[in-house]
């Protein structure tokens, strides 16, 4: 009987024989289409588990970087990566991930959509990391599928594609579709893929290399729970904030909120004052304005449509409260973002 974790050296790699695969088996190839301003952490977090899996168990995975024109592409943090080739030079792929960041649809073209559709017809698995789900959805490739994406873009995604079932999971694996919230959730996704293909033991060994306390399941929350996010512990206060987040388009009145958690309006106001140093009405307004800003920055919805989606009674009221909160008007805020992103790309 061999000793536990006995290692052999192959071409300079320490490989656990119990984890290695048949050398005649073909590695799993991943193609990553990186769009301008893509999420660097979302991409790197997907690559690194594959690298570590290879370190432990041999040539299991290979990855290929694609860009729109085959040239270098800049991430949202300014780091530039070189590509192997342009996306349209790849006609045969097993698994393809689109990786994007802010303003994902600014990088979408009909050519990208047609390319993804051809790969889909050929049987490829298609995925999106961070806001890559926008690209798949725009190409009509998420119909009937369950998808996820970064929580900050979820409201904008649901507004644009109301027929697509979306979740707040870390990642979703559906029939030949894989979507991921990005960030460090890409690690969790790839650990899941490794476990499915080569066993939980290898996934656990890879996880330990990232000093992770545990392997998160896809159903874990993307965002901190309300209690942690706001530093509160009162169960009724947590419940009422959950209700506020669920009712943006048609805000509930303070009386309705109080009744829903079984307190009086005065008790509700005391809860907010003692725990958050705020009033329920002002706190609720802040949530709706934050949602409005997300929609303005991440969709092409009209300002009127954003106003309605966030429960404001009139465009003038929306504009006044928006300016008071963010020190700029909705129109100016959107214009500033449209100017900054192209300037970053040109500089890169």
């Amino acid at each position: 009987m061999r000793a536990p974790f006995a290692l052999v050296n192959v071409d300079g790699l320490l490989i656990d024989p119990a984890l290695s695969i048949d050398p005649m088996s073909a590695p799993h190839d991943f193609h990553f289409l990186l769009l301008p301003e893509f999420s660097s952490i979302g991409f790197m977090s997907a690559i690194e588990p594959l690298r570590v899996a290879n370190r432990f168990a041999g040539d299991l995975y290979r990855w290929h970087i694609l860009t729109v024109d085959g040239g270098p592409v800049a991430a949202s943090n300014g780091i530039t990566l070189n590509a192997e080739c342009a996306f349209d030079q790849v006609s045969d792929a097993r698994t393809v991930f689109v990786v994007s960041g802010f303003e994902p649809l600014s990088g979408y073209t009909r050519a990208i959509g047609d390319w993804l559709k051809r790969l889909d017809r050929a049987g490829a698995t298609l995925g999106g990391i961070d806001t890559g789900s926008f690209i798949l959805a725009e190409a009509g490739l998420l119909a009937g599928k369950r998808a996820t994406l970064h929580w900050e873009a979820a409201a904008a995604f649901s507004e644009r594609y109301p027929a697509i079932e979306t979740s707040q999971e870390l990642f979703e694996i559906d029939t030949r579709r894989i979507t991921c919230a990005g960030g460090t959730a890409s690690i969790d996704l790839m650990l899941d893929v490794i476990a499915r293909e080569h066993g939980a033991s290898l996934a656990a060994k890879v996880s330990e290399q990232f000093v992770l306390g545990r392997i998160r399941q896809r159903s874990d929350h993307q965002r901190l729970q309300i209690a942690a996010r706001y530093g509160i512990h009162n169960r009724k206060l947590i419940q009422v904030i959950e209700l506020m987040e669920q009712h943006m388009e048609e805000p509930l009145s303070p009386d309705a909120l109080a009744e829903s958690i079984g307190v009086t309006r005065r008790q509700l106001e005391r809860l907010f004052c003692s725990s958050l140093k705020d009033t329920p009405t002002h706190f609720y307004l802040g949530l709706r304005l934050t949602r409005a800003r997300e929609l303005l920055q991440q969709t092409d919805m009209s300002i009127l449509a954003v106003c309605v989606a966030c429960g404001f009674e009139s465009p003038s009221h929306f504009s006044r409260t928006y300016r008071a909160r963010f020190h700029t008007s909705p129109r100016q805020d959107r214009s500033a973002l449209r100017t900054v992103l192209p300037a970053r790309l040109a500089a890169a």
Side-chain angles (χ1 to χ4, degrees), residues 46-56 58 61 63 209-210:
I47 293 293
E48 284 299 286
L50 305 180
R51 177 190 65 80
V52 175
N54 285 352
R55 174 187 164 203
F56 284 127
Y61 299 105
W63 47 93
Q209 293 298 303
F210 299 109

Side-chain angles (χ1 to χ4, degrees), residues 42 71 86-87 108 153 165 169 173 178 205-207 320 327:
F87 73 90
Y108 178 83
E165 182 184 0
E169 313 288 90
I173 299 179
I178 304 176
K205 288 172 68 68
V206 173
S207 173
R320 285 196 307 274
H327 308 293

Side-chain angles (χ1 to χ4, degrees), residues 315-347:
S316 59
H317 177 231
F318 173 51
S319 184
R320 285 196 307 274
T321 53
Y322 195 96
R323 184 183 291 276
R325 177 80 172 193
F326 300 117
H327 308 293
T328 186
S329 71
R331 191 175 304 280
Q332 290 169 332
D333 208 7
R334 167 172 277 176
S335 297
L337 185 73
R338 297 296 190 270
T339 301
V340 168
L341 289 179
R344 286 183 188 167
L345 295 178

Side-chain angles (χ1 to χ4, degrees), residues 226-265:
I226 287 173
R229 204 184 315 158
Y230 296 108
I232 58 177
H233 305 286
N234 184 284
R235 181 177 58 83
K236 289 186 179 295
L237 188 57
I238 292 169
Q239 288 176 338
V240 82
I241 293 175
E242 287 177 343
L243 278 172
M244 289 176 173
E245 291 183 342
Q246 294 165 6
H247 294 82
M248 296 284 196
E249 187 168 347
E250 297 181 357
L252 300 173
S253 69
D255 288 332
L257 289 169
E259 183 180 355
S260 69
I261 61 170
V263 300
T264 65
R265 178 169 176 171

